């Protein structure tokens, strides 16, 4: 049955925007053809045909006449005949999916050769060696890809041919020897129980079948899974006239980037080989020379190529990665695509193209991914530092890690827990190792792939991981591993590069993040596009300065309890916590007040002109409780009837009283402020005094005071009144004008559910999504991450760890409720997010959708967030 | 300015349904008047007038002509003239709010007397002593209530009069002495700088003013606050013709219940005094005799009274509490109202009136409150047991408590925490005592009222409390207290009755709850009305039997982890928990499986024909972890290189690994089932094997298998598949037909928010509101109750402790979302609640509103829940 649907497009019929139908390669070939570039004639069988192929038995038969007709049109354009005994047309048959899946599917070159056409080719090329070399390559490739014959036999026979000829390289094998080789190749195919088809049409049909078939090989399926490529895409088949770069010194082949893929510099970067086929470049037998050499070898061709390269860049408005062949002085463009590039190159190319007027701001911003920004901001192994790679495994989880080798998860957990930098080395990891993984700087495994337990867990935890380094032989009993003749012992220092898979013995210098002019300009452009402001979480003047330098437009979370963690403050804080009377507590608070005011002076000054959101005390109370065993020891040394002993006993009793089963759900946040209002009064005084002092000096200070862990209207009202009461007095006394807001965290499900009640008193909401995730899921982060959460991610319970990427169905639903209810009462309520999700691109996209005013994240993530906010506004991340 | 609005109603103009306008007393007087009962003539000034009084200065002037006109109508009916010098009309002026506020507002009797009218009264009554006695009473009462003169002076002078006359009781004071008394009383008023008005109209005007004024006295405001009576009600003023029961032996006065207020028996229960005024009965100077005596003294009057009593009961369709006076052989009904009664009486009256056809089923059920049912079901001090009350304080929090006296909160916390029964005795409690209160059986304070810290906190915690027992003199240093000459030492045993305020030295026997035929019938009637079914939470066959006996229609929560708490099972469970390999774990699970099957056989058999919801393991993991210090001790005794020591070390390591910061948010519920499916497989096998065995024996077994702590669709799907997999195999092997459901708890906010996703696999939802309250509020119950929660209730952050009464705005909102989303996917999804709220009336009303299928509560609360479900269906509780 013939089909009426159009499954075949000649190159001249397609264009770049038909990527889905024609595949990436096909669409680009068609596009180049369309704009008059020298592309060898050819046609494309569509991805829709691929679907049909998998649905209908013998689908190829139904389009066969169309294939033949398409070949006929190619023959006309090429001026050659397929299967002809004079100057025969040879074609390549290549896969090409809508998105690139490099090396995953099949390609056959030189199709159309048989004992007859090879002779004709020898004649037309005037080069018998070339013709038989092409023939033997074709047989080998066809047998491998289409017929499934073991390739080893061919390689052995090829080696013998080199031996016979007394040469080292394949291209040196003379024609006579190649003829014998071809004969023997055919014998190998026969011995394998297969038949090598001599009919070029049969070859073509089988090759098309093989390309379609290759869409569903296990490795292709796995690749799609990892790279989240939809199953329904399918691959197209490109049938293209063969051109040859190995017909003499007026021939050649090469690949070229229009701009440097590593730095982004605007200059051709490529390699080329004179008198060679593409395969030779890939195989690495001959060393290609820089593209500049082409200018010397064939100046005309070079000028033409340079013109085309620039034209393609302009046409695609992006840096291109171009494959070309020169056949007897004539340039053919075989492929063009947007060139892959490093993060630094991506930034430079985007900014320079923007300057050149090639792209607009939105496009420039879209050219850099949040992951690339992250890469620029995290320490990497210093690329300039010389290093010997001990072994290379799979780049399973990015980032660099340095630490002492440990072979046991328990030991890693113990030493890592104490702050030592360790690297866990295991044959593979299991759920029982998670606590060790959690406490390590990184993990190296000798087995397992990109989706092994170690890889998935490490990615979930954000730890660098090199997996499947099979050359690593581990002796767990001896606590050593060897790579070849190198032995690495426990406690030796190792550096892992999870981005490249490299493992280096010893401690490598790590590179500080770069923040150059191009980067600043790109982010400034992003800011213009973004709807969300990006603020930062900062607890110290230093953090605040860094945040501002990274482009934060405010402080979204200044955690006052962190200010009490300093060594000299802890005893005062402890004494405040264990105080049993208000007087004792106030005495300690008086000491803390002076310190707090200093803190605020520094932060306010650093952020002058921008809002600073200060969260009143939300201590993990247990961290400030004196430790009972230490008190017991102290008590044992004292006269049991003395005043000292009594005091220690009282402290012990209070510490016991304040001990909590579940501190996460305990006497925290504003609960403390409700029961002991003197604490929050002290903090409010410190804030207002600092703000008023600086305002007097002419600085613009914008404090936003944030009440933590509010769950009820009563709390919000009481705390608002407390702050306003303190504020009114100090502002009046100081005689300055100071505007400030009082708001709350939305970090309890109830706060979201009664947000309308809270908004009566709260002037802003900041979604504390760390805590909100804990209570919404009922997960204690401390407990869950090291226990079941990593396994949940591996099992697929979540696509992403909900502490890293905002859970939209649950936590997000509550945020949506909070935003809607808050606005229903206070339409202009300021809405933000200050959990770690504030720096996560997907989560930022969600915040953009909710129409929040700002996201606040750690200073180091501010650039990622700025870009993400722009991409979200553009709909580029969703 | 005269007003045109009608502010005054004669008795004949009103009726019982005008309670809001006329107040309870006035509406009932009007009603009785309307149906022709002998009520003394009178009129009512409305509650609207009370509002006007508080709004407008000198409002009384504006209605004064109407008051005079009303008095004129009363004069006509009574045949007497107000202020006349012959047979003068005297009136009482009484308050009367829409709801009874006994003793809270003011009353003046005998109004209209002065030096002229008293003589006329003496003449018309033929009794000078009576007239001057009435006069001196009037002066005293008027001076106290209207003029605010200190009553002590009058009492002193009265005592002197008794002395002068050489008599013991007031009614024995002769007329001459009374005349002197009256003169001296007037002197007392003058000395106090007040003037006693002789003009009866002025008396009346001031009395009306005083009654309106009494609506807003501090004690009235406090009473309304405690009893949740709206401020806007206001009081009416009743002006009623005085009738006298003390004019001779054809006179008398009494109160009578139409049915026994303590047992509900259908027979007149009352007391009466011949030749006496109502005051005399109240004052307790003469001891009244049973109402039956009236039959002997005045048979005609008795018959008339009996007729009227039955008529009133029929008229009001409820047992009445009637006040009456007989004046010279003529019966007057002064008041009727629905009689207060004990819980037992309430049940009996309701059921018997239903049998008598007086009321319908809905009314019968509405006549008993959930609190009364609770009273019937909780141990009370045995009423028949003789006991001397040491002291009586305020009945601040109901229930009986027995324990050893402790004076220090820390000590109470420590000893109580270890399981000892202690009673905390304090002058008053403060927030710092809460941990002690929490661990005590009950609390006694010498200071503080019904809203003191101790009272509020105790009610919140459900602990009995007697507060404000001022006679208790506490010596904290000596750790003793005295009441008069009785000294109570630390560790003495005390019994508190928080329902009566009584404190008894020693251990009182407590009465087991009653569950008689009337009670059963009332609840059966309730079941007919209720829309919600009442199920019970039961973990053992014994609990299941009790639940069924109490009328549970299913088991809503059978906690399998409770089954492992038995002493002989703990070691097996511990070994299962610390197992590090699947093999070890399975070995322990095999042992547990046999025990589990036995458990289920017992419960299923007890509940045959009714559904049994079994929750798969949700252990508080830390409770099953071996204690590290104990392991350390055990380790110290072993050869450090021996196998034993190694094993202990391994257990210790595992226990440390499983330790959690926040067990409430940790590795619990189905997380365990996901990571170690073998545990849930074992439980499913035990359930299905037990169910199939009994089904084979012909019993109808209905297991509902409930997955705990589900938060994601993935978990629900996986666990459903696990259970179905085990079930299918066992059911097929056993060859029986068994229907079962698989569902989940809704106990995490996320579960509610993604209920539509869960309902794809869950066949029922049971709202686990204990945990849901914890995560919605971010409160760990263990930590919060003893720390800030009680104070929050006292501060007014919540009206009720959200762990006792469902928080509708937060937790309730999530339940609503869960119900709606669940039904959107599975319209017939079975919905229930199994938190402790399942037994709380207000929470049940909310469940009724949501249209849940059942509430499940502890067996002892099943009767309360059954009644509450009916009342909710009737809209009687909301």
């Amino acid at each position: 049955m013939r089909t009426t649907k159009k499954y075949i497009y000649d190159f001249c019929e397609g264009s770049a925007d038909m990527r889905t139908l024609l595949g990436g390669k096909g669409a680009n070939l068609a596009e180049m053809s369309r704009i008059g570039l020298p592309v060898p004639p050819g046609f494309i069988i569509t991805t829709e045909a691929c679907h049909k192929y998998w649905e209908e038995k013998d689908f190829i038969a139904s389009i066969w006449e169309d294939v033949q007709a398409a070949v006929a049109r190619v023959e006309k354009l090429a001026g050659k005949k397929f299967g002809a005994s004079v100057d025969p047309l040879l074609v390549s048959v290549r896969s090409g999916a809508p998105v690139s899946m490099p090396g995953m599917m099949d390609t056959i070159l030189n199709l159309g050769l048989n004992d007859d056409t090879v002779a004709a080719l020898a004649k037309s090329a005037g080069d018998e060696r070339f013709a038989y070399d092409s023939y033997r390559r074709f047989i080998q490739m066809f047998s491998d890809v289409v017929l499934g014959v073991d390739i080893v036999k061919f390689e052995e026979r090829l080696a013998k041919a080199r031996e016979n000829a007394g040469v080292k390289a394949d291209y040196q094998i003379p024609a006579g020897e190649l003829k014998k080789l071809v004969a023997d190749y055919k014998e190998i195919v026969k011995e394998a129980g297969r038949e090598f088809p001599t009919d070029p049409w049969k070859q073509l049909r089988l090759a098309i079948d093989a390309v379609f078939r290759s869409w569903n090989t296990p490795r292709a399926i796995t690749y799609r899974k990892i790279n989240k490529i939809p199953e329904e895409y399918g691959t197209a088949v490109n049938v293209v006239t063969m051109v040859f770069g190995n017909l003499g010194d007026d021939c050649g082949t090469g690949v070229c980037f229009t701009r440097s893929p590593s730095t982004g510099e605007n200059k051709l970067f490529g390699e080329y080989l004179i008198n060679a086929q593409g395969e030779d470049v890939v195989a690495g037998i001959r060393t290609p020379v820089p593209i500049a050499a082409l200018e010397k070898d064939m100046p005309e061709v070079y000028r033409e190529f340079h013109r085309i390269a620039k034209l393609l860049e302009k046409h695609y408005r992006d840096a291109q990665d171009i494959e070309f062949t020169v056949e007897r002085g004539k340039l053919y463009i075989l492929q063009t695509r947007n060139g892959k590039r490093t993060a630094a190159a991506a930034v430079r190319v985007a900014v320079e193209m923007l300057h050149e007027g090639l792209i607009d701001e939105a496009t420039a911003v879209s050219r850099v991914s949040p992951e690339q920004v992250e890469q620029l901001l995290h320490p990497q192994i210093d690329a300039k530092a010389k290093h010997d790679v001990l072994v290379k495994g799979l780049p399973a989880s990015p980032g660099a890690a340095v630490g002492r080798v440990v072979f046991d998860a328990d030991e890693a957990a113990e030493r890592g827990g104490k702050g030592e930098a360790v690297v866990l080395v295991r044959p593979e990891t299991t759920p029982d190792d998670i606590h060790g993984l959690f406490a390590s700087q990184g993990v190296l495994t000798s087995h397992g792939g990109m989706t092994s337990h170690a890889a998935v867990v490490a990615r979930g935890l954000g730890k660098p991981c090199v997996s499947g380094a099979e050359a690593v032989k581990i002796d767990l009993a001896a606590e050593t591993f060897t790579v070849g003749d190198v032995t690495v012992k426990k406690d030796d220092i190792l550096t892992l590069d999870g981005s490249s898979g490299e493992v280096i013995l010893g401690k490598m210098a790590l590179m500080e993040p770069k923040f150059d002019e191009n980067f600043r300009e790109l982010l400034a452009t992003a800011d213009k596009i973004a709807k969300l402001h990006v603020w930062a979480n900062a607890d110290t003047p230093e953090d605040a300065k860094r945040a501002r330098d990274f482009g934060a437009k405010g402080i979204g979370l200044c955690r006052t309890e962190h200010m009490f963690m300093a060594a000299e403050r802890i005893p005062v804080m402890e004494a405040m916590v264990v105080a049993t009377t208000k007087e004792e507590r106030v005495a300690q608070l008086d000491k803390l007040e002076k310190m707090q005011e200093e803190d605020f002076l520094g932060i306010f000054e650093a952020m002058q002109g921008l809002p600073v959101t200060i969260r009143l005390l939300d201590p993990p109370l247990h961290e400030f409780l004196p430790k009972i065993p230490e008190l017991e020891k102290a008590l044992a040394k004292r006269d049991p009837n003395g005043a000292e002993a009594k005091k220690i006993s009282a402290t012990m009793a209070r510490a016991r009283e304040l001990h909590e089963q579940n501190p996460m759900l305990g006497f925290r946040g504003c609960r403390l402020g409700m029961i002991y209002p003197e604490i929050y009064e002290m903090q409010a005084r410190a804030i207002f005094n600092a703000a008023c002092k600086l305002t007097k000096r002419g600085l613009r200070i914008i404090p936003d005071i944030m009440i933590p862990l509010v769950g009820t209207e009563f709390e919000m009202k009481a705390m608002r009144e407390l702050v306003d009461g303190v504020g009114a007095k100090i502002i009046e006394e100081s005689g300055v004008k100071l505007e400030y807001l009082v708001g709350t965290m939305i970090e309890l499900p109830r706060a979201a559910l009664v947000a309308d009640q809270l908004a009566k008193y709260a002037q802003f909401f900041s979604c504390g999504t760390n805590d909100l995730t804990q209570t919404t899921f009922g997960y204690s982060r401390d407990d869950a991450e090291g226990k079941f959460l990593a396994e949940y991610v591996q099992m697929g319970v979540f696509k992403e760890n909900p502490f890293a990427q905002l859970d939209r169905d649950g936590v997000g639903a509550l945020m949506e409720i909070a935003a809607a209810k808050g606005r229903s009462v206070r339409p202009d309520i300021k809405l933000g997010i200050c959990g770690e999700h504030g720096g996560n691109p997907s989560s930022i996209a969600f915040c953009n959708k909710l129409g929040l005013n700002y996201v606040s994240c750690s200073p180091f993530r501010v650039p990622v967030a700025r870009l993400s906010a722009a991409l979200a506004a553009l709909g580029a991340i969703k």
Side-chain angles (χ1 to χ4, degrees), chain A:
Chain A
M1 194 186 75
R2 270 207 59 185
T3 168
T4 54
K5 192 171 170 99
K6 184 171 175 67
Y7 287 111
I8 293 178
Y9 286 75
D10 291 351
F11 285 171
C12 59
E13 293 177 309
S15 65
D17 55 9
M18 293 166 76
R19 204 178 179 87
T20 309
L21 185 66
L22 306 181
K25 189 194 296 280
N28 279 340
L29 284 167
E31 181 74 12
M32 289 192 289
S33 192
R34 199 176 63 80
I35 62 172
L37 297 188
V39 172
F43 63 89
I44 307 147
I45 311 177
T46 65
T47 55
E48 286 179 356
C50 183
H51 304 148
K52 279 284 178 193
Y53 170 87
W54 285 101
E55 280 167 20
E56 286 176 23
K57 218 186 142 192
D58 215 17
F59 165 74
I60 295 174
S62 70
I63 58 165
W64 192 243
E65 284 180 30
D66 295 331
V67 171
Q68 288 175 314
V71 170
R73 290 191 298 276
V74 170
E75 288 174 333
K76 213 168 200 175
L77 287 171
K80 298 177 179 184
K81 277 279 189 192
F82 191 56
S85 47
V86 178
D87 195 13
L89 174 71
L90 303 188
V91 295
S92 65
V93 178
R94 297 165 188 259
S95 64
V99 291
S100 173
M101 292 169 60
M104 283 301 136
M105 288 175 307
D106 292 331
T107 293
I108 298 122
L109 302 176
N110 300 321
L111 187 139
L113 284 175
N114 55 26
D115 292 350
D116 295 336
T117 54
V118 72
L121 180 66
K123 204 170 169 189
S124 64
D127 186 345
E128 196 170 36
R129 205 213 69 83
F130 154 74
Y132 281 91
D133 186 49
S134 300
Y135 194 21
R136 69 97 190 158
R137 288 177 198 240
F138 171 56
I139 297 172
Q140 182 170 345
M141 204 177 246
F142 191 92
S143 303
D144 172 27
V145 170
V146 181
L147 304 177
V149 179
D150 188 357
I151 203 165
V152 174
K153 290 258 169 72
F154 296 106
E155 291 294 343
E156 284 170 2
R157 180 61 190 84
L158 183 59
K160 206 179 146 208
R162 284 193 299 268
E163 206 179 296
N164 292 345
V167 298
K168 278 186 175 172
D170 295 347
Y171 71 92
Q172 296 165 324
I173 304 172
E177 194 60 40
L178 286 169
K179 281 184 183 171
K180 283 185 222 158
L181 190 62
V182 162
D184 287 358
Y185 269 17
K186 287 197 237 167
E187 207 52 42
I188 291 172
V189 175
K190 207 171 277 171
E191 277 165 17
R194 300 283 189 284
E195 196 190 344
F196 176 76
T198 52
D199 176 6
W201 291 105
K202 197 166 182 190
Q203 290 172 359
L204 181 60
R205 189 152 169 175
L206 289 171
I208 292 169
D209 186 274
V211 169
F212 281 149
R213 209 168 353 107
S214 69
W215 177 252
N216 279 333
T217 57
R219 64 175 178 166
I221 291 170
T222 305
Y223 183 92
R224 286 199 294 274
K225 216 173 211 168
I226 294 175
N227 293 280
K228 292 170 190 161
I229 299 170
E231 285 299 312
E232 58 271 25
Y233 270 7
T235 182
V237 181
N238 299 286
V239 178
V240 193
T241 303
M242 287 294 301
V243 290
F244 297 97
N246 52 351
L247 290 175
D249 284 350
D250 56 350
C251 299
T253 193
V255 296
C256 183
F257 291 86
T258 57
R259 306 197 183 204
S260 161
S262 70
T263 68
E265 189 187 353
N266 185 5
K267 155 178 163 186
L268 291 186
F269 271 76
E271 294 176 324
Y272 124 98
L273 265 179
I274 198 163
N275 193 15
Q277 254 192 319
E279 267 189 298
D280 300 327
V281 180
V282 177
I285 299 157
R286 287 168 59 194
T287 305
V289 293
I291 190 76
L294 181 62
E295 190 169 10
K296 207 177 52 156
D297 294 342
M298 300 179 242
E300 276 303 316
V301 171
Y302 179 79
R303 267 194 297 281
E304 173 68 358
F305 178 76
H306 192 276
R307 186 190 67 83
I308 291 176
K310 286 288 124 182
L311 189 148
L312 281 172
E313 206 184 71
K314 262 195 186 155
H315 188 72
Y316 285 101
R317 295 170 190 278
D318 200 357
Q320 296 296 300
D321 168 4
I322 303 167
E323 290 179 20
F324 67 92
T325 283
V326 184
E327 188 185 78
R328 295 205 167 123
K330 176 161 172 50
L331 174 68
Y332 290 97
I333 306 297
L334 302 185
Q335 176 159 323
T336 192
R337 57 185 168 192
N338 295 337
K340 292 215 185 304
R341 64 204 76 172
T342 63
V347 171
R348 179 164 172 184
V349 168
V351 170
E352 291 188 351
M353 284 195 165
L354 175 62
H355 288 181
E356 292 159 24
L358 259 179
I359 53 177
D360 62 11
E361 291 184 333
T363 309
V365 166
S366 307
R367 285 286 162 76
V368 182
S369 72
E371 291 73 26
Q372 286 174 320
V373 171
E374 199 171 338
Q375 208 178 311
L376 287 175
L377 287 165
H378 273 86
Q380 302 282 325
I381 292 179
D382 188 342
K384 279 171 289 199
K386 278 191 188 163
H387 62 270
D388 290 323
V389 174
L390 176 65
V391 64
K392 200 169 167 181
L394 298 170
S397 179
V402 178
R404 290 189 184 277
V405 170
V406 165
F407 291 92
D408 180 68
D410 291 336
E411 186 177 346
E414 202 198 319
R415 291 171 58 180
K418 286 181 186 150
E420 194 183 347
V422 297
V423 165
L424 182 63
V425 179
R426 297 285 305 167
E428 55 203 352
T429 63
T430 72
D432 292 333
D433 298 323
I434 293 182
H435 59 304
L437 232 154
F438 191 64
S440 301
Q441 297 299 307
V443 64
L444 165 65
T445 70
S446 53
H447 302 310
M450 295 287 288
T451 56
S452 64
H453 180 267
V456 173
V457 172
R459 283 199 293 270
L461 297 176
K463 304 265 179 195
C465 172
V466 174
S467 70
E470 300 284 349
V472 170
K473 307 295 172 198
I474 300 174
D475 182 342
L476 287 176
E479 300 204 286
T480 61
F481 74 82
T482 56
V483 178
D485 50 8
V486 178
T487 299
V488 179
K489 294 186 298 294
K490 178 167 124 170
D491 288 335
D492 286 351
I493 292 181
L494 213 59
T495 300
L496 303 181
D497 185 346
S499 312
S500 67
E502 291 178 353
V503 180
I504 300 139
L505 201 52
K507 180 178 176 168
M508 291 294 301
L510 299 185
M511 244 184 358
E512 277 310 295
K514 285 178 203 154
F515 207 64
D516 66 13
E517 270 315 304
N518 284 325
F519 195 20
R520 285 183 192 277
E521 186 174 344
L522 183 86
L523 293 179
T525 310
D527 290 348
K528 286 197 256 173
I529 293 164
K531 291 185 207 143
L532 287 164
H533 280 188
V534 176
W535 293 12
N537 302 346
D539 309 328
T540 62
E542 295 67 42
D543 276 358
K545 279 180 205 130
R546 181 178 299 122
R548 193 163 195 161
D549 184 47
F550 280 176
K553 291 285 183 290
I555 299 295
L557 178 61
C558 170
R559 285 158 288 215
T560 53
E561 60 279 4
H562 282 203
M563 299 176 174
F564 297 130
M565 298 277 190
E568 73 278 13
R569 298 182 180 187
I570 284 187
V572 187
M573 185 68 183
E574 246 184 45
M576 195 277 281
V577 166
V578 298
T580 49
T581 68
K582 186 167 173 174
E583 289 67 36
E584 284 176 47
R585 200 156 33 240
V586 167
Q588 302 304 326
L589 286 170
D590 284 347
K591 294 185 208 165
L592 290 173
E593 184 170 344
K594 290 183 194 70
M595 305 172 182
Q596 283 261 287
E597 197 179 311
E598 285 304 313
D599 295 330
F600 294 137
L601 281 170
I603 291 174
F604 283 148
E605 194 163 356
M607 295 302 291
Q608 55 166 306
L610 297 176
V612 177
T613 312
I614 295 163
R615 180 175 73 186
L616 299 188
L617 196 65
D618 181 10
L621 209 56
H622 60 289
E623 289 185 18
F624 288 111
L625 282 181
K627 305 288 165 286
I628 300 282
E630 282 169 28
L631 289 174
E632 276 171 347
K633 268 185 220 157
L635 190 60
K637 286 182 197 150
R638 299 292 191 289
D639 167 17
N641 298 317
E644 270 297 297
K646 269 198 173 163
K647 211 182 142 196
I648 296 172
S649 296
T651 304
M652 232 153 85
R654 178 75 176 156
R656 283 213 178 88
E657 190 184 318
L658 289 172
H659 172 78
E660 292 179 314
Q661 293 285 328
N662 295 284
M664 187 57 61
L665 304 176
F667 190 28
R668 290 177 54 199
C670 73
R671 297 161 196 173
L672 213 62
M674 291 287 290
I675 307 291
Y676 304 127
E678 53 274 20
I679 298 177
Y680 278 13
E681 281 161 5
M682 175 281 277
Q683 294 199 291
R685 274 197 306 277
I687 292 168
F688 284 115
N689 278 324
C692 288
K693 277 182 195 170
L694 294 174
T695 305
K696 263 191 186 164
R697 280 176 36 201
L699 276 56
R700 186 162 172 239
I701 304 303
I702 315 170
D704 287 0
I705 298 172
M706 182 153 74
I707 314 297
L709 222 70
V710 167
T712 64
E713 179 178 342
F714 194 101
E715 291 167 326
M716 189 63 232
K717 179 169 186 282
M719 295 297 102
R720 168 92 193 260
E721 284 167 358
L722 181 150
V723 171
D724 281 349
V726 172
K729 193 160 164 283
I730 293 175
I731 293 170
E732 200 198 311
E733 281 169 9
S734 70
V736 300
K737 204 172 127 58
L738 180 77
E739 278 176 26
Y740 68 93
L741 300 178
V742 184
T744 182
M745 304 273 280
I746 299 289
E747 53 187 335
L748 295 170
R750 195 175 193 279
L753 295 163
V754 302
D756 46 349
Q757 296 171 15
L758 304 186
K760 289 189 221 161
Y761 307 100
Q763 296 167 299
F764 65 89
F765 286 165
S766 176
C767 297
T769 50
N770 293 350
D771 270 26
L772 192 57
T773 300
Q774 297 200 76
T775 42
T776 303
F777 278 95
Y779 293 162
S780 157
R781 188 167 187 178
D782 295 337
D783 299 318
E785 299 246 12
K787 301 224 162 65
F788 59 90
L789 205 54
E791 288 187 67
Y792 262 31
V793 173
Q794 199 190 17
M795 279 180 185
V797 177
F798 315 109
K799 289 208 183 96
E800 303 284 344
N801 179 337
F803 288 106
Q805 183 165 314
L806 194 82
D807 158 54
R808 297 188 184 192
D809 289 354
V811 178
L814 286 174
M815 287 173 66
E816 216 166 333
I817 291 170
K821 289 201 164 191
R823 288 181 183 132
S824 75
V825 167
R826 191 184 287 270
D828 64 342
I829 191 165
K830 192 157 73 170
L831 300 173
I833 179 175
C834 65
E836 276 171 55
H837 301 103
N840 170 270
S842 155
S843 312
I844 291 169
F846 183 72
C847 294
N848 180 73
K849 207 177 110 197
L850 285 190
L852 302 195
N853 300 84
Y854 68 89
V855 296
S856 186
C857 55
S858 77
F860 275 112
R861 291 203 69 86
V862 166
V864 175
R866 290 168 68 193
L867 180 74
S868 300
L871 293 177
L874 292 170
I877 55 176
K878 286 192 179 92

